[in-house]
Amino acid sequence: MGDRKLIQYVDELTDKEKLMVKKVLENYNFSIIDITKVRSSYKIDTNIRTVCLKRVKHNKTKTLNSNYLAEELNKNNFPYTSKFFKTKDNYLFAKHKKMYFYVVEWIDGDECDLNDIDEACDCVRLLAKFHISSQHIDTKVLKIKNNLKNWPRIFKKDLEDLEKFKKYIEKKRLRNEFDKLYKSYLEGFYNMGSMCLQVLNTSDYYVLSKKANEQKLVCHDSFDYQNIIKKDDTYYIVNLDTILINLHINDLSKFIRRLMFKKEYQWDFEKAKIMIEAYDSVNKLSKSEIEAMLSMIIFPHKFCRLGKKRYIKHKDWSENKYIRKLNKLLRYNEAQQKFLNDYLDYLGTFNDLKENID
């Protein structure tokens, strides 16, 4: 955990909670100095160091996975995550009134500022180190979800849905503002999605997926500002509860895609390229991975999902809300089209470079 803008996440601590925390901490070799509630956790200053107390929300498996991974990462040159503390009796959990809790170190730093491209690149290099170190761990012992998806099949289905939406709108006798606006951009997004599918089908995606499945490659799956802490000039990944089996490029693609919707990035391919090359400088990306990433970043997921909500699920939103959601997506339409073309140009250059190296 870190302290950037901490004040907005600090909640009032009730007497009942104070008593509960004190009871739980009796199981540890700590003396409490101060307690602060931050989001759903407790920041506790002790005589030894500052720690974070968390409650197990569902089952213990995620916490057991996190502890195992943190310990193994530390053995494999990745000490950049929160370490767990055992109880006096050497247990990972402490029980209080049918509830289970665990304690990890509180990393006294700041949530990283991803609006800064240099800081975003530092985070990407951290992600690359995390992926490298996790490959040296026996991840088969982890009880985590396999989230490998058949993206070519999913993309194909989404494109078929767009064709259905177009026919449905055309058959309507009375078209509202949303229908007209959605249809006017439908062909452009369809073409973008078709290009993504074409690139994915030529990228050895299935070979990459097979490898990820066989090696049980671990992804963080929630690599974003709230889970990346900067302490001095060192970055840490926190909250390993979200880990699952997936392609490593899934973490990188999601990270870049989220940033592209920010006003500081606005689908500027040069900024995406800088981050891709920052990752590649630590953990080499193959031609197939670079190709597959294009599809995972730029495919019009949100445009397709909005169409499904309107024309398949008939979600009960007001007309204004639908229009507002659509306009938010269309804001970067031209920038996304340019991003796609710039990425395709980059793929050509990247492939030429790889061939010359090989």
Side-chain angles (χ1 to χ4, degrees), residues 237-318:
I237 297 181
V238 297
N239 185 17
L240 299 178
D241 290 354
T242 57
I243 59 169
L244 41 75
I245 303 300
N246 210 330
L247 296 166
H248 283 162
I249 54 169
N250 188 66
D251 270 346
L252 182 57
S253 299
K254 277 175 76 173
F255 182 79
I256 292 172
R257 188 169 70 239
R258 280 173 180 156
L259 292 187
M260 288 300 113
F261 281 102
K262 286 176 169 280
K263 65 178 180 182
E264 291 79 10
Y265 292 85
Q266 297 188 40
W267 290 95
D268 179 350
F269 176 71
E270 282 304 310
K271 291 188 175 180
K273 179 185 165 188
I274 290 168
M275 288 185 280
I276 290 167
E277 292 179 352
Y279 183 97
D280 183 67
S281 69
V282 176
N283 191 16
K284 289 293 172 193
L285 291 162
S286 68
K287 171 190 166 187
S288 293
E289 286 174 316
I290 294 278
E291 288 173 348
M293 274 181 60
L294 161 62
S295 303
M296 294 163 88
I297 292 170
I298 198 71
F299 189 87
H301 304 279
K302 290 188 176 183
F303 187 80
C304 294
R305 279 202 296 267
L306 187 59
K308 284 178 190 174
K309 282 173 182 170
R310 180 67 181 230
Y311 300 116
I312 295 176
K313 296 179 180 177
H314 303 288
K315 196 166 179 67
D316 188 21
W317 285 346
S318 68

Coordinates of all heavy atoms in Angstrom, one line a residue, residues 237-318:
I237 N 4.8 -4.0 -6.8 CA 3.5 -4.4 -7.2 C 2.8 -4.9 -5.9 O 3.4 -5.8 -5.2 CB 3.5 -5.6 -8.2 CG1 4.1 -5.2 -9.5 CG2 2.1 -6.1 -8.5 CD1 4.2 -6.3 -10.6
V238 N 1.6 -4.5 -5.6 CA 0.9 -5.0 -4.5 C -0.4 -5.6 -4.9 O -0.8 -5.5 -6.1 CB 0.6 -3.8 -3.5 CG1 1.9 -3.2 -2.9 CG2 -0.3 -2.7 -4.1
N239 N -1.0 -6.3 -4.0 CA -2.3 -7.0 -4.3 C -2.1 -8.1 -5.3 O -2.5 -7.9 -6.5 CB -3.4 -6.0 -4.7 CG -4.8 -6.7 -4.8 OD1 -4.9 -7.9 -4.3 ND2 -5.7 -6.1 -5.5
L240 N -1.6 -9.2 -4.9 CA -1.5 -10.4 -5.9 C -2.7 -11.3 -5.9 O -2.6 -12.4 -6.4 CB -0.2 -11.2 -5.5 CG 1.1 -10.4 -5.5 CD1 2.3 -11.3 -5.1 CD2 1.4 -9.8 -6.9
D241 N -3.8 -10.8 -5.2 CA -5.0 -11.6 -5.2 C -5.6 -11.9 -6.5 O -6.4 -12.8 -6.7 CB -6.0 -11.0 -4.3 CG -5.6 -11.0 -2.8 OD1 -4.6 -11.6 -2.5 OD2 -6.3 -10.4 -2.0
T242 N -5.3 -11.0 -7.5 CA -5.9 -11.0 -8.8 C -5.3 -12.0 -9.8 O -5.7 -12.1 -11.0 CB -6.0 -9.6 -9.4 OG1 -4.7 -9.1 -9.5 CG2 -6.8 -8.7 -8.6
I243 N -4.2 -12.6 -9.4 CA -3.4 -13.4 -10.4 C -4.2 -14.5 -11.1 O -5.1 -15.1 -10.4 CB -2.1 -13.9 -9.8 CG1 -2.4 -14.9 -8.6 CG2 -1.1 -12.8 -9.4 CD1 -1.2 -15.7 -8.1
L244 N -3.8 -14.8 -12.3 CA -4.4 -15.9 -13.0 C -3.5 -16.3 -14.2 O -2.5 -15.7 -14.5 CB -5.8 -15.5 -13.6 CG -6.1 -14.1 -14.2 CD1 -5.5 -14.0 -15.5 CD2 -7.6 -13.8 -14.2
I245 N -3.8 -17.4 -14.8 CA -3.1 -17.9 -15.9 C -3.5 -17.2 -17.2 O -4.7 -17.2 -17.5 CB -3.3 -19.5 -16.1 CG1 -2.9 -20.2 -14.9 CG2 -2.4 -20.0 -17.3 CD1 -1.5 -20.1 -14.4
N246 N -2.6 -16.6 -17.9 CA -2.9 -15.9 -19.1 C -1.6 -15.5 -19.9 O -0.5 -15.7 -19.3 CB -3.7 -14.6 -18.9 CG -4.7 -14.3 -20.0 OD1 -4.4 -14.6 -21.2 ND2 -5.8 -13.7 -19.7
L247 N -1.7 -15.0 -21.1 CA -0.6 -14.5 -21.8 C 0.0 -13.3 -21.1 O -0.8 -12.4 -20.7 CB -1.0 -14.1 -23.2 CG -1.5 -15.2 -24.2 CD1 -2.2 -14.6 -25.4 CD2 -0.4 -16.1 -24.6
H248 N 1.3 -13.2 -21.0 CA 1.9 -12.1 -20.4 C 1.5 -10.8 -21.1 O 1.4 -9.7 -20.5 CB 3.4 -12.2 -20.4 CG 3.9 -13.1 -19.3 ND1 5.2 -13.7 -19.3 CD2 3.3 -13.6 -18.2 CE1 5.3 -14.4 -18.2 NE2 4.2 -14.4 -17.5
I249 N 1.3 -10.9 -22.4 CA 1.0 -9.6 -23.2 C -0.4 -9.2 -22.8 O -0.8 -8.0 -23.2 CB 1.1 -9.8 -24.7 CG1 0.3 -11.1 -25.2 CG2 2.6 -9.9 -25.1 CD1 0.2 -11.2 -26.7
N250 N -1.2 -10.0 -22.2 CA -2.5 -9.6 -21.7 C -2.4 -8.4 -20.7 O -3.1 -7.4 -20.8 CB -3.3 -10.7 -21.1 CG -4.8 -10.4 -20.9 OD1 -5.5 -10.1 -21.8 ND2 -5.1 -10.3 -19.6
D251 N -1.4 -8.6 -19.8 CA -1.2 -7.6 -18.8 C -0.7 -6.3 -19.4 O -1.2 -5.2 -19.1 CB -0.1 -8.0 -17.8 CG -0.6 -8.8 -16.6 OD1 -1.8 -8.7 -16.3 OD2 0.2 -9.4 -15.9
L252 N 0.2 -6.4 -20.3 CA 0.7 -5.2 -21.0 C -0.3 -4.5 -21.9 O -0.4 -3.3 -21.9 CB 2.0 -5.6 -21.8 CG 2.7 -4.5 -22.6 CD1 3.2 -3.4 -21.6 CD2 3.9 -5.1 -23.4
S253 N -1.1 -5.3 -22.6 CA -2.1 -4.8 -23.5 C -3.2 -4.0 -22.7 O -3.6 -2.9 -23.1 CB -2.8 -5.9 -24.3 OG -1.8 -6.5 -25.1
K254 N -3.6 -4.6 -21.6 CA -4.7 -4.0 -20.8 C -4.1 -2.7 -20.2 O -4.9 -1.7 -20.2 CB -5.1 -4.9 -19.7 CG -6.1 -5.9 -20.1 CD -6.4 -6.9 -19.0 CE -7.3 -6.3 -17.9 NZ -7.7 -7.3 -16.9
F255 N -2.9 -2.7 -19.8 CA -2.3 -1.5 -19.2 C -2.2 -0.3 -20.2 O -2.7 0.8 -19.9 CB -0.9 -1.8 -18.8 CG -0.1 -0.7 -18.1 CD1 -0.3 -0.4 -16.8 CD2 0.9 0.0 -18.8 CE1 0.4 0.6 -16.1 CE2 1.6 1.0 -18.2 CZ 1.3 1.3 -16.8
I256 N -1.8 -0.7 -21.4 CA -1.7 0.3 -22.5 C -3.1 0.8 -22.9 O -3.3 2.0 -23.1 CB -0.9 -0.2 -23.7 CG1 0.6 -0.4 -23.3 CG2 -1.0 0.7 -24.9 CD1 1.4 -1.1 -24.3
R257 N -4.0 -0.1 -23.1 CA -5.4 0.2 -23.5 C -6.1 1.2 -22.6 O -6.7 2.2 -23.0 CB -6.2 -1.0 -23.7 CG -7.6 -0.8 -24.4 CD -8.3 -2.1 -24.7 NE -8.7 -2.8 -23.6 CZ -8.4 -4.1 -23.4 NH1 -7.5 -4.7 -24.1 NH2 -8.8 -4.7 -22.3
R258 N -5.9 0.9 -21.3 CA -6.5 1.8 -20.3 C -5.9 3.2 -20.4 O -6.6 4.2 -20.3 CB -6.2 1.3 -18.9 CG -7.2 0.2 -18.4 CD -6.7 -0.4 -17.1 NE -7.5 -1.5 -16.7 CZ -7.1 -2.4 -15.8 NH1 -5.9 -2.4 -15.4 NH2 -8.0 -3.4 -15.4
L259 N -4.6 3.3 -20.5 CA -4.0 4.6 -20.6 C -4.4 5.4 -21.9 O -4.5 6.6 -21.8 CB -2.4 4.5 -20.6 CG -1.8 4.0 -19.3 CD1 -0.3 4.1 -19.3 CD2 -2.3 4.8 -18.1
M260 N -4.6 4.7 -23.0 CA -4.9 5.4 -24.2 C -6.2 6.2 -24.1 O -6.4 7.1 -24.9 CB -5.0 4.3 -25.4 CG -3.7 3.8 -25.8 SD -2.5 5.0 -26.4 CE -1.3 5.0 -25.2
F261 N -7.1 5.8 -23.2 CA -8.4 6.5 -23.0 C -8.2 7.8 -22.1 O -9.2 8.5 -21.9 CB -9.5 5.6 -22.5 CG -10.1 4.7 -23.5 CD1 -9.7 3.4 -23.6 CD2 -11.0 5.2 -24.4 CE1 -10.3 2.5 -24.5 CE2 -11.6 4.3 -25.4 CZ -11.2 3.0 -25.4
K262 N -7.0 8.0 -21.6 CA -6.8 9.1 -20.8 C -6.4 10.3 -21.6 O -5.8 10.2 -22.7 CB -5.6 8.9 -19.8 CG -5.9 7.9 -18.6 CD -4.7 7.7 -17.8 CE -5.0 7.0 -16.5 NZ -5.5 7.9 -15.5
K263 N -6.7 11.5 -21.2 CA -6.5 12.7 -22.0 C -5.0 13.0 -22.2 O -4.6 13.6 -23.2 CB -7.1 14.0 -21.3 CG -6.5 14.4 -20.0 CD -7.3 15.6 -19.5 CE -6.7 16.0 -18.1 NZ -7.3 17.2 -17.6
E264 N -4.1 12.5 -21.3 CA -2.7 12.6 -21.5 C -2.1 11.8 -22.6 O -1.0 12.0 -23.1 CB -1.9 12.3 -20.2 CG -2.1 13.3 -19.1 CD -3.4 13.1 -18.4 OE1 -4.1 12.1 -18.6 OE2 -3.8 14.0 -17.5
Y265 N -2.9 10.8 -23.1 CA -2.4 9.8 -24.1 C -3.2 9.9 -25.4 O -2.7 9.9 -26.5 CB -2.5 8.4 -23.6 CG -1.5 8.2 -22.4 CD1 -1.8 8.5 -21.1 CD2 -0.2 7.7 -22.7 CE1 -0.9 8.3 -20.1 CE2 0.7 7.5 -21.7 CZ 0.4 7.8 -20.4 OH 1.3 7.6 -19.4
Q266 N -4.6 9.9 -25.3 CA -5.5 10.1 -26.5 C -5.1 9.3 -27.7 O -5.0 9.8 -28.8 CB -5.5 11.6 -26.8 CG -6.1 12.4 -25.7 CD -6.3 13.9 -26.1 OE1 -6.7 14.1 -27.2 NE2 -6.0 14.8 -25.2
W267 N -4.8 8.0 -27.5 CA -4.5 7.1 -28.6 C -3.3 7.6 -29.4 O -3.3 7.5 -30.7 CB -5.7 6.8 -29.4 CG -6.7 5.9 -28.6 CD1 -7.8 6.4 -27.9 CD2 -6.6 4.5 -28.5 NE1 -8.4 5.3 -27.3 CE2 -7.7 4.2 -27.6 CE3 -5.8 3.5 -29.0 CZ2 -8.0 2.8 -27.2 CZ3 -6.1 2.2 -28.6 CH2 -7.1 1.9 -27.7
D268 N -2.3 8.1 -28.8 CA -1.1 8.6 -29.4 C -0.2 7.3 -29.5 O 0.3 6.9 -28.5 CB -0.4 9.7 -28.6 CG 0.9 10.1 -29.3 OD1 1.4 9.5 -30.2 OD2 1.4 11.2 -28.8
F269 N 0.0 6.8 -30.8 CA 0.8 5.6 -30.9 C 2.2 5.7 -30.4 O 2.8 4.7 -29.9 CB 0.7 5.1 -32.4 CG 1.6 3.8 -32.5 CD1 1.2 2.6 -32.0 CD2 2.9 3.9 -33.1 CE1 2.0 1.5 -32.1 CE2 3.7 2.8 -33.2 CZ 3.3 1.6 -32.7
E270 N 2.8 6.9 -30.6 CA 4.2 7.1 -30.2 C 4.3 6.7 -28.7 O 5.3 6.2 -28.3 CB 4.6 8.5 -30.5 CG 5.0 8.7 -31.9 CD 6.0 7.8 -32.4 OE1 7.1 7.6 -31.8 OE2 5.8 7.2 -33.5
K271 N 3.3 7.1 -27.9 CA 3.4 6.8 -26.4 C 3.2 5.3 -26.2 O 3.9 4.8 -25.3 CB 2.4 7.6 -25.7 CG 2.7 9.1 -25.7 CD 1.8 10.0 -24.8 CE 2.3 11.4 -24.8 NZ 1.4 12.3 -23.9
A272 N 2.4 4.7 -26.9 CA 2.2 3.2 -26.8 C 3.5 2.5 -27.2 O 4.0 1.6 -26.5 CB 1.1 2.7 -27.7
K273 N 4.1 3.0 -28.3 CA 5.4 2.4 -28.8 C 6.5 2.6 -27.7 O 7.2 1.6 -27.5 CB 5.8 3.2 -30.0 CG 7.1 2.7 -30.6 CD 7.5 3.6 -31.8 CE 8.9 3.4 -32.2 NZ 9.4 4.3 -33.3
I274 N 6.6 3.7 -27.1 CA 7.6 3.9 -26.0 C 7.4 2.9 -24.9 O 8.4 2.3 -24.4 CB 7.5 5.4 -25.4 CG1 8.0 6.4 -26.5 CG2 8.3 5.5 -24.2 CD1 7.6 7.8 -26.2
M275 N 6.1 2.6 -24.5 CA 5.9 1.6 -23.4 C 6.2 0.2 -23.9 O 6.7 -0.6 -23.1 CB 4.4 1.8 -22.9 CG 4.2 3.1 -22.1 SD 2.5 3.2 -21.4 CE 1.6 3.7 -22.8
I276 N 5.8 -0.1 -25.1 CA 6.1 -1.4 -25.7 C 7.6 -1.7 -25.7 O 8.1 -2.8 -25.3 CB 5.5 -1.6 -27.1 CG1 4.0 -1.7 -27.0 CG2 6.0 -2.9 -27.8 CD1 3.3 -1.5 -28.4
E277 N 8.3 -0.7 -26.1 CA 9.8 -0.8 -26.2 C 10.5 -0.8 -24.8 O 11.5 -1.4 -24.6 CB 10.4 0.2 -27.1 CG 9.9 0.0 -28.6 CD 10.5 1.0 -29.6 OE1 11.0 2.0 -29.2 OE2 10.2 0.7 -30.8
A278 N 9.8 -0.1 -23.8 CA 10.3 -0.2 -22.5 C 10.2 -1.6 -21.9 O 11.1 -2.1 -21.3 CB 9.5 0.8 -21.6
Y279 N 9.1 -2.2 -22.2 CA 8.9 -3.6 -21.8 C 9.9 -4.5 -22.5 O 10.5 -5.4 -21.8 CB 7.4 -4.1 -22.1 CG 7.1 -5.5 -21.6 CD1 6.4 -5.7 -20.4 CD2 7.4 -6.6 -22.4 CE1 6.1 -7.0 -19.9 CE2 7.1 -7.9 -21.9 CZ 6.5 -8.1 -20.7 OH 6.2 -9.4 -20.3
D280 N 10.0 -4.4 -23.8 CA 10.9 -5.2 -24.6 C 12.3 -5.1 -24.2 O 13.1 -6.0 -24.3 CB 10.7 -4.8 -26.1 CG 11.5 -5.6 -27.0 OD1 11.2 -6.8 -27.1 OD2 12.5 -5.1 -27.6
S281 N 12.7 -3.9 -23.6 CA 14.1 -3.7 -23.2 C 14.5 -4.6 -22.0 O 15.6 -4.9 -21.7 CB 14.3 -2.3 -22.8 OG 13.6 -1.9 -21.6
V282 N 13.4 -5.1 -21.3 CA 13.6 -6.0 -20.1 C 13.3 -7.4 -20.4 O 14.0 -8.4 -20.1 CB 12.8 -5.5 -18.9 CG1 13.0 -6.5 -17.7 CG2 13.2 -4.1 -18.5
N283 N 12.1 -7.6 -21.1 CA 11.6 -8.9 -21.4 C 11.2 -8.9 -22.9 O 10.2 -8.4 -23.3 CB 10.4 -9.2 -20.6 CG 9.9 -10.7 -20.7 OD1 10.7 -11.6 -21.1 ND2 8.7 -11.0 -20.2
K284 N 12.1 -9.6 -23.7 CA 12.0 -9.5 -25.2 C 10.6 -10.0 -25.7 O 10.1 -11.1 -25.2 CB 13.1 -10.3 -25.8 CG 14.4 -9.7 -25.7 CD 14.5 -8.4 -26.5 CE 15.8 -7.6 -26.3 NZ 15.7 -6.3 -26.8
L285 N 10.0 -9.2 -26.6 CA 8.7 -9.6 -27.2 C 9.0 -10.2 -28.6 O 9.8 -9.7 -29.3 CB 7.8 -8.4 -27.3 CG 7.3 -7.8 -26.0 CD1 6.8 -6.4 -26.2 CD2 6.2 -8.6 -25.4
S286 N 8.3 -11.2 -28.9 CA 8.4 -11.9 -30.2 C 7.6 -11.1 -31.2 O 6.7 -10.3 -30.9 CB 8.0 -13.3 -30.2 OG 6.6 -13.4 -29.9
K287 N 7.8 -11.4 -32.5 CA 7.0 -10.8 -33.6 C 5.5 -11.1 -33.4 O 4.7 -10.3 -33.5 CB 7.5 -11.4 -34.9 CG 6.7 -11.0 -36.1 CD 7.2 -11.8 -37.3 CE 6.1 -11.8 -38.4 NZ 6.5 -12.7 -39.6
S288 N 5.3 -12.4 -33.0 CA 3.9 -12.8 -32.8 C 3.2 -12.1 -31.7 O 2.0 -11.8 -31.7 CB 3.8 -14.3 -32.6 OG 4.2 -15.0 -33.7
E289 N 4.0 -11.9 -30.6 CA 3.4 -11.1 -29.5 C 3.1 -9.7 -29.8 O 2.0 -9.2 -29.4 CB 4.4 -11.2 -28.3 CG 4.4 -12.6 -27.6 CD 5.5 -12.7 -26.6 OE1 6.6 -12.2 -26.8 OE2 5.2 -13.2 -25.5
I290 N 4.0 -9.0 -30.5 CA 3.8 -7.7 -31.0 C 2.5 -7.6 -31.8 O 1.7 -6.7 -31.7 CB 5.0 -7.1 -31.7 CG1 6.2 -7.0 -30.8 CG2 4.7 -5.7 -32.4 CD1 6.3 -5.8 -30.0
E291 N 2.3 -8.6 -32.7 CA 1.2 -8.6 -33.6 C -0.1 -8.8 -32.8 O -1.1 -8.1 -33.0 CB 1.3 -9.7 -34.7 CG 2.4 -9.3 -35.7 CD 2.7 -10.5 -36.7 OE1 2.2 -11.6 -36.4 OE2 3.3 -10.3 -37.7
A292 N -0.1 -9.8 -31.9 CA -1.3 -10.1 -31.1 C -1.7 -8.9 -30.3 O -2.9 -8.7 -30.1 CB -1.0 -11.4 -30.3
M293 N -0.7 -8.2 -29.8 CA -1.0 -7.1 -28.9 C -1.8 -6.0 -29.6 O -2.6 -5.3 -29.0 CB 0.3 -6.5 -28.4 CG 0.8 -7.2 -27.1 SD 2.3 -6.4 -26.5 CE 1.8 -4.7 -26.3
L294 N -1.5 -5.8 -30.9 CA -2.2 -4.8 -31.7 C -3.7 -5.1 -31.6 O -4.5 -4.2 -31.3 CB -1.8 -4.8 -33.1 CG -2.8 -4.2 -34.1 CD1 -3.0 -2.7 -33.8 CD2 -2.3 -4.3 -35.6
S295 N -4.1 -6.3 -31.8 CA -5.5 -6.7 -31.8 C -6.1 -6.6 -30.4 O -7.2 -6.1 -30.2 CB -5.6 -8.2 -32.2 OG -5.1 -8.3 -33.5
M296 N -5.3 -6.9 -29.4 CA -5.8 -6.9 -28.0 C -6.0 -5.4 -27.5 O -6.9 -5.2 -26.7 CB -4.9 -7.7 -27.1 CG -4.9 -9.2 -27.4 SD -3.5 -10.0 -26.7 CE -4.1 -10.5 -25.1
I297 N -5.2 -4.5 -28.0 CA -5.3 -3.1 -27.6 C -6.4 -2.4 -28.4 O -7.2 -1.7 -27.8 CB -3.9 -2.4 -27.9 CG1 -2.9 -2.9 -26.9 CG2 -4.1 -0.9 -27.7 CD1 -1.4 -2.4 -27.3
I298 N -6.5 -2.6 -29.7 CA -7.3 -1.7 -30.5 C -8.7 -2.2 -30.9 O -9.5 -1.5 -31.3 CB -6.5 -1.3 -31.8 CG1 -7.1 -0.1 -32.5 CG2 -6.4 -2.5 -32.8 CD1 -6.9 1.2 -31.8
F299 N -8.9 -3.6 -30.7 CA -10.2 -4.1 -31.1 C -11.3 -3.3 -30.3 O -11.2 -3.0 -29.1 CB -10.3 -5.6 -30.7 CG -11.6 -6.2 -31.2 CD1 -11.6 -6.8 -32.5 CD2 -12.7 -6.3 -30.5 CE1 -12.7 -7.3 -33.0 CE2 -13.9 -6.9 -31.0 CZ -13.9 -7.4 -32.3
P300 N -12.4 -2.9 -31.1 CA -13.5 -2.1 -30.5 C -14.4 -2.8 -29.5 O -15.6 -2.9 -29.7 CB -14.2 -1.6 -31.7 CG -14.1 -2.7 -32.7 CD -12.7 -3.2 -32.5
H301 N -13.8 -3.3 -28.4 CA -14.5 -4.0 -27.4 C -15.7 -3.2 -26.9 O -16.9 -3.7 -26.7 CB -13.6 -4.4 -26.2 CG -12.4 -5.2 -26.5 ND1 -12.4 -6.5 -26.7 CD2 -11.1 -4.8 -26.7 CE1 -11.2 -6.9 -27.0 NE2 -10.4 -5.9 -27.0
K302 N -15.4 -1.9 -26.5 CA -16.5 -1.1 -25.9 C -17.6 -0.8 -26.8 O -18.8 -0.7 -26.4 CB -15.8 0.2 -25.3 CG -14.9 0.0 -24.1 CD -14.4 1.3 -23.5 CE -13.6 1.0 -22.3 NZ -13.2 2.3 -21.6
F303 N -17.3 -0.5 -28.1 CA -18.4 -0.3 -29.1 C -19.3 -1.5 -29.2 O -20.5 -1.3 -29.3 CB -17.7 0.1 -30.4 CG -18.7 0.6 -31.5 CD1 -19.2 1.9 -31.4 CD2 -19.1 -0.3 -32.5 CE1 -20.1 2.3 -32.4 CE2 -20.0 0.2 -33.4 CZ -20.5 1.5 -33.4
C304 N -18.7 -2.6 -29.3 CA -19.5 -3.9 -29.4 C -20.3 -4.1 -28.1 O -21.5 -4.5 -28.3 CB -18.5 -5.1 -29.6 SG -17.6 -5.1 -31.2
R305 N -19.7 -3.9 -27.0 CA -20.5 -4.1 -25.7 C -21.6 -3.2 -25.6 O -22.7 -3.6 -25.1 CB -19.5 -3.9 -24.5 CG -18.7 -5.2 -24.2 CD -18.2 -5.2 -22.8 NE -17.3 -4.1 -22.5 CZ -16.0 -4.1 -22.6 NH1 -15.4 -5.2 -23.0 NH2 -15.2 -3.1 -22.3
L306 N -21.5 -1.9 -26.0 CA -22.6 -1.0 -26.0 C -23.7 -1.4 -26.9 O -24.9 -1.3 -26.5 CB -22.1 0.4 -26.3 CG -23.1 1.6 -26.2 CD1 -23.5 1.7 -24.7 CD2 -22.5 2.9 -26.6
G307 N -23.4 -1.9 -28.1 CA -24.4 -2.4 -29.0 C -25.1 -3.6 -28.4 O -26.4 -3.7 -28.5
K308 N -24.4 -4.5 -27.7 CA -25.1 -5.6 -27.1 C -26.1 -5.2 -26.0 O -27.2 -5.7 -25.9 CB -24.0 -6.5 -26.4 CG -23.3 -7.4 -27.5 CD -22.2 -8.2 -26.8 CE -21.3 -8.9 -27.8 NZ -20.2 -9.6 -27.2
K309 N -25.6 -4.2 -25.2 CA -26.5 -3.7 -24.2 C -27.8 -3.1 -24.7 O -28.9 -3.2 -24.2 CB -25.8 -2.6 -23.3 CG -24.8 -3.3 -22.3 CD -23.9 -2.2 -21.6 CE -23.0 -2.9 -20.7 NZ -21.9 -2.1 -20.2
R310 N -27.7 -2.4 -25.9 CA -28.8 -1.8 -26.5 C -29.7 -2.8 -27.3 O -30.9 -2.8 -27.1 CB -28.3 -0.7 -27.5 CG -29.4 0.1 -28.2 CD -30.2 0.9 -27.2 NE -31.3 1.7 -27.8 CZ -31.5 2.9 -27.7 NH1 -30.7 3.7 -26.9 NH2 -32.5 3.5 -28.3
Y311 N -29.1 -3.6 -28.1 CA -29.9 -4.4 -29.1 C -30.1 -5.8 -28.7 O -30.9 -6.5 -29.3 CB -29.2 -4.3 -30.5 CG -29.1 -2.8 -31.0 CD1 -27.9 -2.2 -31.2 CD2 -30.3 -2.1 -31.2 CE1 -27.8 -0.9 -31.6 CE2 -30.2 -0.8 -31.6 CZ -29.0 -0.2 -31.8 OH -28.9 1.1 -32.3
I312 N -29.3 -6.3 -27.8 CA -29.5 -7.7 -27.3 C -30.1 -7.8 -25.9 O -31.1 -8.4 -25.7 CB -28.2 -8.5 -27.4 CG1 -27.7 -8.6 -28.9 CG2 -28.3 -9.9 -26.8 CD1 -26.3 -9.3 -29.0
K313 N -29.4 -7.1 -25.0 CA -29.9 -7.2 -23.6 C -31.0 -6.1 -23.3 O -31.7 -6.3 -22.3 CB -28.7 -6.9 -22.7 CG -27.6 -8.0 -22.8 CD -26.4 -7.7 -21.8 CE -25.4 -8.8 -21.9 NZ -24.2 -8.5 -21.1
H314 N -31.1 -5.2 -24.2 CA -32.1 -4.1 -24.0 C -32.0 -3.5 -22.6 O -33.0 -3.4 -21.9 CB -33.5 -4.6 -24.3 CG -33.7 -5.2 -25.6 ND1 -33.7 -4.5 -26.8 CD2 -33.8 -6.5 -26.0 CE1 -33.8 -5.3 -27.9 NE2 -33.8 -6.5 -27.4
K315 N -30.8 -3.1 -22.2 CA -30.6 -2.5 -20.9 C -31.4 -1.3 -20.7 O -31.5 -0.4 -21.6 CB -29.1 -2.2 -20.7 CG -28.7 -2.0 -19.3 CD -27.2 -2.0 -19.1 CE -26.8 -1.8 -17.7 NZ -27.1 -2.8 -16.8
D316 N -32.0 -1.2 -19.5 CA -33.0 -0.2 -19.2 C -32.3 1.2 -18.8 O -32.3 1.6 -17.7 CB -33.9 -0.6 -18.1 CG -35.0 0.4 -17.9 OD1 -35.3 1.1 -18.8 OD2 -35.6 0.4 -16.8
W317 N -31.6 1.8 -19.8 CA -31.0 3.1 -19.7 C -31.8 4.1 -20.4 O -32.5 3.8 -21.4 CB -29.6 3.1 -20.2 CG -28.6 2.4 -19.4 CD1 -28.7 1.9 -18.1 CD2 -27.2 2.0 -19.8 NE1 -27.5 1.3 -17.7 CE2 -26.6 1.3 -18.7 CE3 -26.5 2.2 -21.0 CZ2 -25.3 0.9 -18.8 CZ3 -25.2 1.7 -21.1 CH2 -24.6 1.0 -20.0
S318 N -31.7 5.4 -19.9 CA -32.4 6.4 -20.7 C -31.7 6.7 -22.0 O -30.5 6.3 -22.2 CB -32.4 7.7 -19.8 OG -31.0 8.2 -19.7

